[in-house]
């Protein structure tokens, strides 16, 4: 091993371990910020874990490169076993994160409840529209409120009521479709950014753990 490698190896080891320490501190900050006593909300730690995991992978990889440069013939040094253990621990963390990510892909329960309420409200509005007596009553209310001509006929009142109700139903339907689209996009983002990333990172950490001691 040359003089350049002997100087580079300690730098790589400490640089890699520093990145791992930063990862642990960031994860600790995320866990401390979660209110575990609150049963009404689901703890959001999967996204942070998956987002920070590449930092740990890179740190462990850099530390392993330093260990290999320092002692190429020795395959089972304390540092390599430490890298193997941390990689295995993070791989387990990624595997645990997958079901949580799949559960989170269903979305926030409060948003799902709001979506169901919107669908129910739209259903009731359409049922209201199909009720001739209710539509006629709305027409009478419009006439009494002065929104129609004084000599408006019953047909004019019903037509005005139908137009107003149809406009309200169209607005509700548009808002509901917009909300459903947002929910679907958020679910896809969580699925790709959470579940798929966690699976890839789990495989990467397993390979790194094996590389450290083989």
């Amino acid at each position: 091993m040359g003089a350049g490698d002997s100087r580079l190896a300690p730098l790589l080891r400490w640089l890699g371990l520093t990145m791992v320490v930063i990862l642990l501190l960031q994860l600790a900050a995320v866990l401390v910020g979660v209110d575990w006593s609150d049963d009404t909300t689901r703890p959001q730690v999967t996204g942070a874990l998956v987002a920070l995991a590449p930092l740990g992978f890179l740190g462990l990889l850099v530390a392993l490169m330093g260990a290999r440069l320092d002692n190429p013939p020795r395959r089972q040094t304390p540092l390599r076993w430490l890298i193997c253990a941390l990689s295995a621990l993070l791989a387990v963390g990624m595997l645990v994160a997958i079901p949580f990510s799949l559960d989170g892909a269903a979305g926030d329960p409060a948003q799902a409840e709001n979506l169901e309420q919107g669908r129910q409200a739209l259903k009731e509005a359409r049922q209201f529209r199909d009720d001739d007596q209710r539509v006629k009553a709305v027409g009478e209310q419009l006439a009494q409120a002065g929104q129609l001509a004084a000599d408006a006929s019953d047909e004019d009142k019903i037509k005005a009521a139908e137009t107003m109700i149809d406009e309200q139903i169209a607005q509700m339907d548009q808002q509901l479709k917009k909300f459903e689209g947002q929910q679907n996009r958020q679910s896809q983002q969580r699925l790709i950014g959470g579940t798929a990333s966690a699976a890839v990172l789990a495989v990467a950490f397993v390979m790194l753990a094996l590389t450290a001691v083989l």
Side-chain angles (χ1 to χ4, degrees), residues 5-59:
D5 291 340
S6 63
R7 291 192 298 268
L8 182 61
L11 177 62
L12 291 176
R13 290 200 308 269
W14 286 110
L15 178 61
L17 293 176
T18 300
M19 295 171 70
V20 174
V21 170
I22 293 174
L23 166 67
L24 297 177
L25 291 175
Q26 292 293 327
L27 288 178
V30 171
L31 295 176
V32 168
V34 174
D35 186 4
W36 299 99
S37 62
D38 187 3
D39 297 332
T40 60
T41 58
R42 184 186 298 124
Q44 300 295 328
V45 297
T46 303
L49 178 61
V50 174
L52 293 170
L55 176 64
F57 179 82
L58 183 59

Side-chain angles (χ1 to χ4, degrees), residues 4-5 21 51 58 63 70 91 96 100 107 110 112 116-117 126 130 203 207:
D5 291 340
V21 170
L58 183 59
D70 197 10
V96 173
F100 282 100
E116 184 59 30
Q117 290 177 353
R126 287 171 173 166
D130 295 335
V203 175
M207 295 177 62

Side-chain angles (χ1 to χ4, degrees), residues 60 64 67 74-88 209-210 212-214:
L60 292 173
L64 179 59
R74 298 182 58 188
R75 295 185 177 181
Q76 297 181 355
T77 63
L79 178 58
R80 291 195 183 185
W81 279 113
L82 176 63
I83 294 172
C84 178
L86 291 176
S87 298
L210 295 175
V213 293
L214 294 180

Side-chain angles (χ1 to χ4, degrees), residues 18 26 29 65 83 101 132 156 180 183 186 189 197 210:
T18 300
Q26 292 293 327
M65 292 172 59
I83 294 172
S101 178
D132 295 337
D156 293 334
E180 288 177 340
Q183 289 286 89
Q186 290 175 1
Q189 287 176 345
S197 298
L210 295 175

Side-chain angles (χ1 to χ4, degrees), residues 57-203:
F57 179 82
L58 183 59
L60 292 173
L61 180 61
V62 171
L64 179 59
M65 292 172 59
R68 284 182 173 272
L69 287 176
D70 197 10
N71 294 301
R74 298 182 58 188
R75 295 185 177 181
Q76 297 181 355
T77 63
L79 178 58
R80 291 195 183 185
W81 279 113
L82 176 63
I83 294 172
C84 178
L86 291 176
S87 298
L89 180 62
L90 288 171
V92 172
M94 292 297 102
L95 292 175
V96 173
I98 291 176
F100 282 100
S101 178
L102 290 173
D103 183 51
D108 187 12
Q111 292 182 351
E113 183 178 357
N114 292 336
L115 182 60
E116 184 59 30
Q117 290 177 353
R119 290 171 177 167
Q120 183 63 29
L122 181 60
K123 180 180 178 181
E124 293 176 355
R126 287 171 173 166
Q127 291 176 348
F128 186 96
R129 173 65 175 80
D130 295 335
D131 191 331
D132 295 337
Q133 295 298 324
R134 290 183 176 182
V135 173
K136 184 177 179 180
V138 172
E140 294 293 341
Q141 293 175 1
L142 292 176
Q144 293 175 4
Q147 298 184 19
L148 299 177
D151 58 347
S153 63
D154 291 342
E155 184 179 352
D156 293 334
K157 296 175 183 179
I158 293 175
K159 185 176 181 180
E162 290 176 344
T163 301
M164 185 189 71
I165 296 173
D166 288 340
E167 290 176 353
Q168 293 178 348
I169 291 177
Q171 291 177 357
M172 293 174 63
D173 186 50
Q174 183 179 4
Q175 292 175 355
L176 184 61
K177 289 181 178 178
K178 182 178 180 182
F179 188 71
E180 288 177 340
Q182 292 176 347
Q183 289 286 89
N184 292 332
R185 287 191 294 272
Q186 290 175 1
S187 179
Q188 291 175 357
Q189 287 176 345
R190 284 189 290 265
L191 185 63
I192 297 173
T195 307
S197 298
V200 173
L201 285 167
V203 175

